[in-house]
Amino acid sequence: MEIARDWQDYELLDAGGGEKLERWGKYVLRRPDPQAAWPKSGAADWDRAAAVYHRSSTGGGSWSFPGRLPESWQVGWRELRFRVKPMGFKHTGLFPEQAVNWAFMMERIAGEREPEVLNLFAYTGGATAALAAAGARVVHVDAAKGIVGAAKENLALSGLAQRPVRFLVDDAKKFVAREIRRGRKYRGIVMDPPTYGRGPSGEVWRIEDELYGLLASCTEILEDPLFVVINGYTTGLSPTVLVNLLKVTVGERFGGRAAADEIGLPLSSRNLVLPCGVTARWTHA
């Protein structure tokens, strides 16, 4: 398992009983997490949370605010800054475990001369900011206009507004198809595909039907590639499936190797790690 580290402003205080207790900067949040199947620790003060997300028996849920909490605030990882806030579906606008992928990609492009990297299903731009900070030219694609706006703000908060980053509100499949026709090439691709979703014009995405085709198309826009990264947090597909997909697409065209591993966050209250999904990666060597 790869464990996310180097956080100044995030700490997983405890997890158990189907919940997690987290410190985001100065503020403590309490959110559901089905992976926390063990009991809570007696060492953590679960009642100190300023915001608590409650699941609904009919699906979804809502936040309550037993403490004082601003509408939004900033947290930092290494030199990067991000704005977070309580959002729908228990989210905060950032997935701290993804720092393992940010660090991996930053290391891969170190010493390269402004490699072009494509970020698909790019959400609020954690990977975009990390890549830009490491010297990449980045194309950031997400179907949600508001989310792309948040990604632009995060880039600016990190002092990277002048870096060569293109932000696009678009459907991932259609964008890649247009890039093939335009002859555009990238040296790296990172994606965070949902299990199910809709594009800006109502395009339907089902991962079991669409991911292979998207990866096959992505091979057409890669040139002298450094990496392809798939975040498997919501995919519902096993690590082996993701590795096989990388092997039969990117691997068959460029060689290299594909591997997958769990990613997680360490608990500060005891010697445990909360699993937070899978990362699958193809690398040239």
Side-chain angles (χ1 to χ4, degrees):
M1 174 180 279
E2 293 195 37
I3 298 175
R5 305 191 187 277
D6 298 336
W7 277 103
Q8 306 98 292
D9 295 330
Y10 176 84
E11 181 182 6
L12 181 57
L13 301 169
D14 194 20
E19 293 185 285
K20 56 189 175 186
L21 188 70
E22 307 161 288
R23 179 182 62 80
W24 295 81
K26 297 189 297 182
Y27 304 101
V28 175
L29 307 185
R30 181 173 173 175
R31 298 191 287 163
D33 195 310
Q35 297 292 331
W38 51 88
K40 294 180 174 72
S41 167
D45 182 5
W46 286 76
D47 292 331
R48 65 181 284 203
V52 181
Y53 190 87
H54 306 273
R55 283 195 184 277
S56 168
S57 59
T58 58
S62 61
W63 290 93
S64 66
F65 301 95
R68 299 183 65 180
L69 194 71
E71 180 181 349
S72 66
W73 64 100
Q74 296 180 29
V75 296
W77 177 82
R78 294 187 181 177
E79 69 268 38
L80 306 179
R81 303 292 299 174
F82 306 102
R83 186 171 300 283
V84 296
K85 62 181 180 179
M87 300 169 64
F89 303 103
K90 75 176 183 178
H91 295 319
T92 64
L94 194 68
F95 294 94
E97 67 276 3
Q98 286 303 309
V100 299
N101 282 327
W102 307 341
F104 165 80
M105 292 185 292
M106 292 173 84
E107 290 169 5
R108 282 280 159 175
I109 66 176
E112 300 289 338
R113 186 173 180 181
E114 290 199 328
E116 192 101 4
V117 180
L118 175 61
N119 187 3
L120 296 172
F121 310 99
Y123 196 50
T124 56
T128 294
L131 288 162
R137 305 174 65 89
V138 188
V139 176
H140 174 114
V141 180
D142 196 277
K145 184 177 181 180
I147 292 297
V148 172
K152 291 180 180 179
E153 182 182 14
N154 284 332
L155 194 72
L157 288 174
S158 297
L160 300 167
Q162 302 307 312
R163 290 291 305 153
V165 178
R166 294 172 58 211
F167 289 96
L168 300 165
V169 179
D170 208 339
D171 174 76
K173 285 176 55 184
K174 289 183 176 180
F175 176 78
V176 171
R178 288 196 298 273
E179 292 292 82
I180 292 172
R181 293 194 294 271
R182 288 187 284 245
R184 286 288 299 275
K185 299 294 182 180
Y186 296 88
R187 298 201 62 200
I189 297 175
V190 54
M191 63 178 70
D192 189 357
T195 300
Y196 175 85
R198 288 188 178 273
S201 300
E203 302 89 346
V204 176
W205 165 275
R206 292 184 179 86
I207 194 166
E208 65 273 18
D209 300 327
E210 308 288 356
L211 184 55
Y212 167 76
L214 178 61
L215 285 169
S217 295
C218 284
T219 66
E220 301 292 325
I221 59 173
L222 285 167
E223 186 173 75
D224 188 20
L226 299 167
F227 59 79
V228 176
V229 176
I230 305 173
N231 172 43
Y233 176 69
T234 63
T235 62
L237 301 177
S238 78
T240 301
V241 170
L242 296 176
V243 168
N244 288 345
L245 285 167
L246 287 171
K247 285 181 176 179
V248 301
T249 54
V250 188
E252 286 192 358
R253 184 166 186 142
F254 295 102
R257 62 184 298 272
D261 201 355
E262 281 191 285
I263 57 178
L265 292 164
L267 279 65
S268 59
S269 59
R270 47 188 163 164
N271 187 27
L272 298 176
V273 176
L274 179 68
C276 301
V278 172
T279 180
R281 301 168 181 163
W282 174 91
T283 54
H284 67 90

